[in-house]
């Protein structure tokens, strides 16, 4: 993402309003209507799409992609030049060709039609001979197909022959055919890999051709990767945001596959013709990971420009407080993907009208009320599936495991919008687990009476009544703390609750029914619930006020915490207790959070051996952080994420209860009247921290965060900057634990950022800084960001991408 790329320069100019009269963004002037913005964007999207085949579009502008990303070692840059290569642990092999999948007549017709579309219109597949050798390259092949096979942690492949004459191709196929039959006669398997195909219906009425890669996927390397999803969308949304969405057309098909791996992606159509995929296809376990890693550097370009955006596979969401600026950001995103990279957009699936109500990842988000819900058609689909399972179980207690698993998947995807969703899966999930363990996904699962009752709930109007949840949970004005414990030797329990300056205590014993099982996990959970319902009426006698109560509970049993948080999991007995507690809590609209509290041990050596340091115990070097405060001309008065051992100010909020702290869990307390704040949260809480600071319009927040531009919260951080951030030295002693041991892993540097939740003031502050810097703005910002490095003797320069991103947001002010 260099300084001199025309798209970056143009995007920065457009975002600050510097559009030329002949520019296609000139129509998005201030004051235009929302419908006008939609019309301009639809015209831009339509003109940006071309009639060229969609296959391997990502490889059409390899040099431009590499220059945009500015990282030759990234997967996107390398794949743009030579195509995608699968991460295989060994060469795929099979002893014999698989039998074609049995397809019904409508499936057969749809599969043949889709194969013809992929062959003639998309150019995503190609015919192959019956032998097991590579298909030779011919004149006119794409540039990335001629590139040599890359060196990497995968089996080496032989070069693909390039043949110009038809006679050479004929001789090559005859030679490969003789070698193939010779191998078969010797009892050896083929050197290529063939899979079955089938069709699945799409939401637009068409069909999608899927390859049965289950056997092929056993040779793929299993690795984890991070995808932005529903949780990141919820953290990205701010009050009264406008949103837009676009969808990349045939995203998988745009990623060209290296010719050396195409022989492992072969299939036979229902009419017997053999084909092979030329692109990444549905069914491979690596397809989502490849697509995510290919698109992430491109979306990072937009985030570096200060655009709040998110991508999930091929769905792109952009948010902004201003509809016109949102339209400009969407136009720039479309130009990036269409003109700069060469991809196409599916206009029919996009939402180009700026709206405070939009649907993303199957959930409808309403930013004016900060609520989310699922569409009515998804509720109807849940009811149909539940009714079908009930009808099937009326004749026999067993249903198809795959059908039951499909229903569980539908319910799990609604959990963000329907709070009781997981609790209403009780007994259904356990029936599914038993069915999978007994007969696999092609077997049957037995529904108990309790599972049928759970299914019946999904056929009632209660689902519609429960549809709707808050994006940002409100702060409860009544804050209560509680600790509980239980013992198995006498089946007793006890608890202490703190409300203001009052302390309430209780003790008792479990009933005979509760003692039916002598597991400590059930004892701990029942002790917690009994103490909660016994002490809460004493602390807050008026039950109508319980909807304004938040109870912070500390337990020393992780299993009890798990079932108190998610209600339903693997143990049926614990799930029943968790569901009962969840229903009671929801009936009173009570807010409860559970955290772990280590048990007190008398043996000091044993306690020391069990002591483990985590990120919440780390402290930034006191001298460095104070020097950073001097660079930023500020001094915080409250530390939000700290403990008595690592706080940087006298007043602080702690993760766990501490009598010396202002409170427990700062996210449950208001920040707007605390003064200048300091926060060094774990990376997973940075998005929530920024969201809360903006929501409450905090005057000033000094945030310590990793330099991680690919994260969803980076554009939000840029928009909140008051002055350039300060880079801390990337050394092991940068952070220490409570024992004084060095803990910093040196994987990325840390930034100290001066932020404000008041975006107007932040923009004015950046504008004043930009004007005062004059023509030396770039030099001044770089000096400010690296001044602490030089003064501390660890000189260095700011990364180019980070400097460009900071420069862009200051230039927009």
């Amino acid at each position: 993402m260099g300084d001199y790329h025309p798209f970056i320069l143009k995007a920065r100019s457009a975002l600050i309003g510097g559009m030329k009269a002949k520019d296609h963004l000139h129509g998005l002037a201030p004051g235009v209507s929302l419908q006008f913005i939609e019309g301009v964007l639809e015209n831009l999207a339509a003109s940006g799409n071309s009639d060229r085949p969609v296959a391997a579009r990502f490889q059409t502008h390899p040099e431009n992609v590499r220059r945009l990303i500015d990282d030759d070692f990234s997967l996107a840059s390398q794949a743009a030049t030579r195509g995608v290569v699968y991460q295989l642990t060994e060469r795929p092999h099979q002893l014999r060709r698989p039998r074609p999948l049995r397809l019904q007549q409508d499936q057969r017709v749809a599969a043949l039609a889709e194969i013809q579309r992929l062959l003639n219109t998309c150019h995503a597949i190609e015919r192959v001979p019956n032998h097991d050798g590579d298909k030779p390259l011919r004149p006119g092949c794409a540039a990335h197909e001629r590139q040599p096979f890359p060196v990497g942690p995968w089996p080496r492949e032989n070069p693909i022959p390039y043949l110009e004459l038809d006679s050479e191709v004929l001789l090559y196929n005859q030679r490969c055919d003789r070698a193939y039959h010779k191998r078969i006669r010797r009892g050896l398997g083929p050197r290529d890999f063939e899979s079955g195909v089938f069709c699945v219906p799409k939401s637009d009425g068409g069909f999608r051709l899927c390859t049965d890669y289950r056997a092929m996927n056993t040779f793929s390397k299993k690795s984890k990767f991070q995808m932005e999803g529903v949780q990141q969308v919820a953290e990205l949304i701010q009050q009264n945001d406008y949103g837009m969405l676009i969808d990349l057309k045939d995203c998988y098909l745009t990623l060209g596959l290296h010719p050396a791996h195409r022989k492992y992606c072969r299939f036979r159509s229902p009419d017997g013709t053999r084909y092979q995929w030329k692109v990444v296809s549905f069914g491979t376990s690596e397809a989502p990971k490849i697509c995510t890693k290919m698109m992430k550097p491109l979306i990072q370009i937009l985030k570096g420009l200060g655009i709040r955006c998110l991508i999930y596979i091929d769905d792109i969401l952009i948010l902004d407080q201003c509809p016109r600026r949102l339209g400009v950001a969407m136009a720039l995103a479309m130009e990036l993907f269409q003109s700069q990279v060469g991809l196409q957009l599916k206009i029919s699936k996009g939402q180009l009208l700026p709206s405070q109500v939009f649907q993303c990842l199957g959930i409808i988000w309403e930013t004016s009320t900060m609520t989310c819900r699922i569409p009515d058609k998804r509720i109807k689909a849940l009811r149909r599936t539940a009714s079908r399972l009930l009808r099937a179980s009326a004749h026999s207690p067993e249903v198809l495991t795959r059908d039951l698993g499909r229903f569980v998947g539908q319910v799990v995807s609604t959990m963000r919008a329907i709070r009781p969703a997981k609790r209403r899966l009780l007994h259904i999930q356990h029936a599914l687990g038993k069915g999978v363990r007994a007969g696999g996904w092609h077997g049957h699962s037995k529904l108990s009476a309790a599972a049928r009752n759970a299914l019946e709930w999904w056929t009632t109007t209660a689902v519609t009544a429960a549809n709707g949840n808050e994006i940002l949970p409100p702060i409860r004005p009544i804050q209560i703390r509680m600790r509980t414990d239980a013992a198995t030797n006498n089946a007793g329990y006890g608890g202490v609750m703190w409300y203001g300056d009052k302390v309430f205590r209780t003790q008792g014993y479990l009933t005979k029914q509760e003692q039916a099982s002598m597991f400590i996990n059930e004892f701990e959970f029942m002790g917690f619930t009994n103490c909660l319902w016994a002490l809460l009426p004493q602390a807050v006698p008026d039950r109508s006020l319980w909807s304004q109560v938040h109870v912070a509970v500390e337990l020393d049993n992780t299993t009890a915490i798990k079932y108190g948080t998610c209600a339903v999991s693997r143990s049926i007995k614990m799930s029943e207790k968790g569901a009962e507690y969840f229903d009671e809590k929801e009936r009173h609209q009570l807010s409860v959070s559970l955290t772990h509290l280590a048990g007190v041990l008398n043996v000091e050596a044993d306690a020391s051996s069990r002591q483990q340091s985590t990120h919440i115990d780390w402290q930034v070097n006191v001298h460095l952080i104070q020097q950073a405060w001097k660079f930023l001309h500020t001094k915080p008065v409250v530390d939000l994420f700290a403990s008595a051992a690592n706080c940087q100010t006298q007043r602080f909020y702690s993760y766990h209860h501490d009598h010396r702290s202002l409170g427990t869990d700062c996210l449950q307390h208001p920040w707007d009247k605390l003064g200048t704040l300091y926060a060094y949260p774990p990376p997973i809480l940075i998005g929530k921290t920024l969201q809360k600071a903006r929501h409450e319009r905090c005057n000033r927040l000094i945030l310590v965060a990793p330099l991680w531009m690919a994260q969803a919260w980076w554009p939000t951080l840029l928009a909140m900057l008051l002055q350039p951030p300060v880079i801390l030295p990337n050394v092991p002693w940068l952070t220490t634990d409570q024992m004084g041991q060095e803990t910093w892993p040196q994987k990325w540097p840390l930034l100290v950022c001066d932020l404000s939740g008041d975006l107007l003031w932040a923009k004015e502050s950046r504008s004043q800084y930009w004007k005062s810097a004059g023509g030396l703005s770039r030099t001044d910002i770089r000096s400010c960001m690296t001044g602490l490095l030089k003064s501390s003797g660890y000189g260095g320069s700011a990364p180019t991408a980070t400097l460009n991103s900071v420069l862009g947001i200051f230039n927009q002010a």
Side-chain angles (χ1 to χ4, degrees), residues 625 628-636 675-679 690 693 698-705 716-727 751-759 761-763 765-766 769 784 806 809-810:
I625 200 64
W629 292 349
K630 289 183 179 180
F631 270 82
L632 299 176
H633 306 288
T634 185
K635 186 174 181 180
T676 303
L677 306 177
Y678 168 82
L690 296 176
C698 293
N699 186 52
R700 204 162 188 183
L701 170 66
I702 306 301
L703 177 73
V704 178
T716 304
L717 184 145
L718 291 178
M720 297 171 63
L721 280 175
L722 293 173
Q723 53 184 312
V726 175
I727 303 178
L751 296 178
V752 183
C753 306
D754 190 3
L755 310 177
S756 174
D758 188 344
L759 297 188
W761 182 48
K763 187 175 182 180
S765 178
R766 294 195 302 270
Y769 188 96
C784 181
V806 175
I809 200 67
F810 274 79

Side-chain angles (χ1 to χ4, degrees), residues 15 28-32 34 37 239-244 308 318-330 354-356 694 759 763:
L15 289 172
L28 299 177
V32 298
L34 302 183
I37 295 176
Q239 184 86 30
N240 297 322
D241 266 343
Y242 288 86
M244 283 186 186
R308 279 191 293 138
I318 299 182
L319 299 170
D320 204 284
Q321 294 277 305
C322 173
R324 187 203 68 85
R325 180 181 167 87
L326 176 62
V328 173
M330 178 58 74
S355 176
Q356 293 180 336
R694 285 189 59 177
L759 297 188
K763 187 175 182 180

Side-chain angles (χ1 to χ4, degrees), residues 398-582:
E398 292 186 344
V399 297
L400 291 176
T401 300
R402 187 167 294 276
D403 289 344
L404 192 61
R406 184 178 295 109
F407 173 76
V408 171
Q410 289 177 329
V411 172
V412 169
S413 65
T414 67
M415 288 182 179
R416 178 71 198 188
I418 301 179
R419 288 175 58 86
K422 187 163 187 178
R423 180 262 178 272
R424 295 300 174 179
L425 278 179
L426 178 60
H427 301 292
I428 300 176
Q429 279 184 308
H430 291 280
L432 175 63
K434 290 181 180 179
V436 172
R437 289 191 295 270
W441 286 101
H442 294 284
H444 291 77
S445 298
K446 186 176 181 180
L447 293 181
S448 61
R452 286 180 53 84
N453 292 336
L455 279 173
E456 288 176 356
W457 185 86
W458 291 96
T459 64
T460 64
T461 57
V463 183
T464 304
N467 185 20
N469 195 11
E470 297 152 335
I471 298 177
L472 185 64
I475 296 176
R476 307 297 179 97
I478 303 176
Q479 297 287 324
I480 298 177
R481 295 182 290 107
M482 187 179 75
R483 289 182 180 178
T484 67
D485 199 2
T488 56
N489 61 331
N490 61 349
Y493 64 87
V496 182
M497 179 175 285
W498 293 270
Y499 177 33
D501 56 352
K502 298 181 180 179
V503 181
F504 305 90
R505 292 182 173 86
T506 186
Q507 64 179 16
Y509 300 93
L510 300 179
T511 64
K512 294 295 184 182
Q513 182 180 2
E514 293 170 342
Q515 296 180 39
S517 177
M518 294 298 293
F519 287 108
I520 183 60
N521 295 335
E522 297 181 47
F523 272 30
E524 290 281 359
F525 188 81
M526 292 306 299
F528 149 64
T529 55
N530 288 351
C531 289
L532 176 65
W533 305 128
L535 293 176
L536 188 58
Q538 300 180 39
V540 186
D542 188 357
R543 293 178 181 255
S544 63
L545 297 178
W546 283 15
S547 60
Q548 304 178 35
V549 172
H550 173 78
V551 184
V553 183
E554 292 180 335
L555 302 175
D556 60 0
N557 185 279
T558 56
T559 304
I561 293 174
K562 174 183 178 181
Y563 284 91
T565 303
C566 63
V568 178
S569 190
R570 189 166 185 175
S571 170
I572 186 65
K573 291 185 178 181
M574 290 292 292
S575 295
E576 290 174 346
K577 292 178 173 60
E580 182 181 355
Y581 152 75
F582 182 87

Side-chain angles (χ1 to χ4, degrees), residues 61-80:
H61 305 294
E63 293 302 324
N64 196 39
V65 171
R66 294 178 61 183
R67 186 180 174 192
L68 276 169
I69 296 175
D70 195 22
D71 182 4
D72 292 339
F73 298 99
S74 69
L75 175 63
S77 297
Q78 296 183 21

Side-chain angles (χ1 to χ4, degrees), residues 535-808:
L535 293 176
L536 188 58
Q538 300 180 39
V540 186
D542 188 357
R543 293 178 181 255
S544 63
L545 297 178
W546 283 15
S547 60
Q548 304 178 35
V549 172
H550 173 78
V551 184
V553 183
E554 292 180 335
L555 302 175
D556 60 0
N557 185 279
T558 56
T559 304
I561 293 174
K562 174 183 178 181
Y563 284 91
T565 303
C566 63
V568 178
S569 190
R570 189 166 185 175
S571 170
I572 186 65
K573 291 185 178 181
M574 290 292 292
S575 295
E576 290 174 346
K577 292 178 173 60
E580 182 181 355
Y581 152 75
F582 182 87
D583 286 343
E584 186 71 10
K585 179 169 68 79
E586 289 294 303
R587 187 168 66 87
H588 295 289
Q589 298 182 2
L590 181 67
S591 173
V592 180
S593 63
L594 294 96
T595 56
H596 184 262
L597 174 69
V600 178
L601 302 177
N602 293 327
V603 182
E604 295 183 359
D606 192 24
S608 300
S609 66
R610 293 173 181 267
Q611 189 173 6
Q612 295 181 354
S613 175
T614 63
H615 190 280
I616 64 176
D617 300 315
W618 294 1
Q619 180 187 42
V620 181
N621 183 272
V622 177
H623 175 72
L624 281 180
I625 200 64
Q626 291 180 352
Q627 288 295 317
W629 292 349
K630 289 183 179 180
F631 270 82
L632 299 176
H633 306 288
T634 185
K635 186 174 181 180
V637 295
V638 177
D639 194 339
L640 295 177
F641 300 87
S643 66
N646 63 12
C647 60
Q648 299 282 6
T649 62
Q650 291 184 352
R651 304 166 65 200
F652 64 93
Y653 282 94
S654 62
Y655 291 90
H656 309 295
H657 168 64
D658 192 324
H659 67 277
R660 292 161 288 186
S661 66
L662 295 175
T664 303
D665 189 358
C666 65
L667 297 176
Q668 300 296 331
H669 297 270
W671 298 353
D672 51 340
K673 298 180 181 179
L674 293 176
T676 303
L677 306 177
Y678 168 82
Y680 177 39
I684 196 173
L685 294 180
I686 293 178
K688 291 184 178 180
T689 303
L690 296 176
Q691 184 184 45
K692 183 175 176 63
R694 285 189 59 177
H695 182 73
E696 298 186 11
R697 299 175 66 88
C698 293
N699 186 52
R700 204 162 188 183
L701 170 66
I702 306 301
L703 177 73
V704 178
L707 202 166
W708 206 344
M709 292 177 57
Q711 291 299 304
W713 46 259
W714 181 259
T716 304
L717 184 145
L718 291 178
M720 297 171 63
L721 280 175
L722 293 173
Q723 53 184 312
V726 175
I727 303 178
L728 297 179
N730 197 11
V731 290
W733 50 265
L734 177 61
T735 61
T736 55
D737 61 10
Q738 71 276 11
M739 304 299 294
Q741 300 295 324
E742 299 174 355
T743 57
W744 188 242
Q746 297 180 268
K747 293 183 179 180
W748 54 77
L750 282 179
L751 296 178
V752 183
C753 306
D754 190 3
L755 310 177
S756 174
D758 188 344
L759 297 188
L760 292 179
W761 182 48
K763 187 175 182 180
E764 291 174 1
S765 178
R766 294 195 302 270
S767 177
Q768 183 65 29
Y769 188 96
W770 186 261
K771 292 178 182 177
S772 63
L776 300 177
S777 57
R778 180 185 179 89
T779 303
D780 287 354
I781 289 180
R782 181 190 288 112
S783 300
C784 181
M785 294 175 65
T786 59
L788 183 60
L789 295 175
K790 297 177 181 178
S791 64
S792 61
Y794 291 85
S797 60
T800 303
T802 306
L803 179 61
N804 291 340
S805 184
V806 175
L807 281 170

